[in-house]
Structures are given as C-alpha cells and as structure tokens.
Amino acid sequence: MRLHPVLALLLLLVALPACAKEGLRKPWVVATYAYPERDRLAAIQPLADYLAKRGRHPVQVKLFPSPTALVQAMHDGQVDVAVPNLHGYLQARRDIARVTTLPVPQVPSLQADRYRAVLVARDVASLAEVKAKAGSMRLALVGRDSASGGFVPAQYLRSQALDPAEAFASVTYAGSHAAALQAVVEGRADVAALAGDVYDASRPDGIRELWRSDPIPPGPLLCRATTDVPCQAMAAWLLDAHREDPAVIAALRVGWPEFGDATVFVPADVARLSEAALPTD
C-alpha cells in the first residue's frame, strides 16, 4: 500500500527531529586502562553495549595508558563509566568530587583469597637480610599504580622501614607481573613485588618468597555522576547483568584475571575498600 504524499511528508517531518536529537546526544564514554597482552577494549565492549541497550543511549569505549591516566580523564569529564583497578578506584574516590561507586564482580571466595601481593627475591633468605643489604639491591615493581605489584607491597616495605624510593639502590617498573618476576629470574633485579598467583603459577628455582599480603579486593566500577549520566540506574542494571547479558561479566573476566570465575555483580563493600590507603609519594 502506497502512502498519500501528504501523509508521507508529515511522517517524515515528525521523524526528522527525533533523528536529529538522537544524533546530537553525547555518547556515554566507557573506559579502562591498558595492560600487556590483555585486550581491554574488547573486555569492556560488552559492558558498553549493555549500558547502551539498557539506557537507550549511544556509547563509545576508550582505553588509557594507566589507571592514573584513566582517573585523570574521568576527572576532566572525558570518561563517564570506568573499569579501574583498586588504585584507580581509591584515587578517583579521593580526587573526584562527584563519583559513584558501582557494583563489582563477585569473585568466588577461594579465588578472592588468592589475589595477594608477594615480595620475592634471589640470593637472600629473609626480609631481615633485605634490610641489611637494601642499599645495594635493585627492586622491581609492576607499576606505580598497580595494586598487588605496586602500592600494596610498597606500603608493607615502608612499614618495615624500607621506603622503596630511598632504601634500595634502584627501583624499576616492569609493566606487568610476569615481567617483574622475570626481572628477578634473569638477575636484572634482586627483589620484586607482584601478584601472588603469577608467582605461584611458576615458582622459579632460586627465587624465594619473603612476604605475602592479605587478600586484596578488586576495584569496583565507577560512574561520573552528572545530570546526563544515570549512575544509580546503571548500578541497578549491573546487578541484573547476569540475567540480561552474561557476556558482560564473561568479557571482564578475560580482561581481569583477578575477577576469577565471577558470574554476578554485587554491591561494593565500600567500608572494606576504604581500609586501603593510597601511597603518599
């Protein structure tokens, strides 16, 4: 059936403003930070698609070079929803006036217990020996804003009167947990901090574990609270994601091994997260 030309014109005039309005809507930006050998853009794409579907709103994904760069972009209004690590979460809660804590993947208890930091070394038998020789020893960390390979073990070292920046002959940032361990294995570092599960997967000969942290909670997702971003609705959508779109959390598991075999989002334990302190340097 052919529409009368006048009716067709009227329908077109009604549709055009709606299309124009849709085209002018600023996309929500869903972003995260890069990590070697992990396709983090692919890991957050299902999340972005899910939020777009639930909110009937355009989205785009972005990748930043580090957790700190991600938080700075959120602070500057370039990011609406972020998938940070623990350092990024704590940094955002401290530095961004209007930020909402979103739910976090619920890591099974046995796997959550395994997410810890370790200090490992070669040619020394104890932390007491590290204290005696630190001035001639090289320390390898994963990154300044890594949790298990950065600020958590750095805090422990400071509690033992071993400030990483002052006590050791040098401090290098390996960029990944595997690279930090390899630096000790190959003799390019004497002490390294990294995730316990990475060390446990290989336990290289000649490398001794000196210390292991308590379990480290993963950082929850974050939302920049503005009139254009419905953070509370997004929190509710995430709690429904395991039913509405299981691919969301499945993709996050690929991007973040610390999420283990999580299948659902749960409200974040903000009180427990607040017990962690950011580095002062």
Side-chain angles (χ1 to χ4, degrees), residues 12-39:
L12 179 61
L13 290 174
V14 170
L16 280 175
C19 293
K21 183 178 180 181
E22 180 67 24
L24 292 174
R25 296 171 81 189
K26 182 181 178 182
W28 294 331
V29 177
V30 180
T32 191
Y33 61 98
Y35 187 80
E37 300 179 3
R38 298 278 174 185
D39 188 346

Side-chain angles (χ1 to χ4, degrees), residues 59-213:
V59 299
Q60 65 181 110
V61 294
K62 286 187 178 181
L63 188 70
F64 292 88
S66 68
T68 296
L70 171 66
V71 172
Q72 184 61 51
M74 180 170 252
H75 179 275
D76 295 342
Q78 301 175 40
V79 172
D80 299 305
V81 176
V83 183
N85 68 346
L86 179 60
H87 185 286
Y89 168 79
L90 294 170
Q91 188 178 2
R93 294 286 298 180
R94 182 192 67 189
D95 297 343
I96 302 176
R98 299 184 64 192
V99 67
T100 298
T101 297
L102 295 177
V104 63
Q106 184 180 43
V107 184
S109 57
L110 288 177
Q111 293 176 326
D113 186 71
R114 290 199 293 267
Y115 184 42
R116 302 169 183 253
V118 294
L119 285 169
V120 300
R122 57 183 295 133
D123 301 327
V124 294
S126 66
L127 190 67
E129 192 173 351
V130 171
K131 287 184 177 181
K133 299 178 179 179
S136 62
M137 301 185 79
R138 301 157 296 170
L139 173 66
L141 300 173
V142 174
R144 292 182 185 274
D145 47 12
S146 170
S148 55
F151 81 94
V152 171
Q155 285 175 343
Y156 173 73
L157 287 170
R158 290 190 188 95
S159 76
Q160 301 300 306
L162 287 169
D163 190 309
E166 299 176 1
F168 292 88
S170 66
V171 180
T172 58
Y173 297 97
S176 73
H177 298 274
L181 179 59
Q182 195 62 26
V184 178
V185 171
E186 296 177 357
R188 293 179 282 107
D190 304 296
V191 183
L194 63 144
D197 57 348
V198 175
Y199 170 70
D200 292 340
S202 60
R203 291 186 174 268
D205 292 339
I207 306 302
R208 182 185 297 268
E209 179 180 325
L210 305 178
W211 167 81
R212 185 171 290 242
S213 75

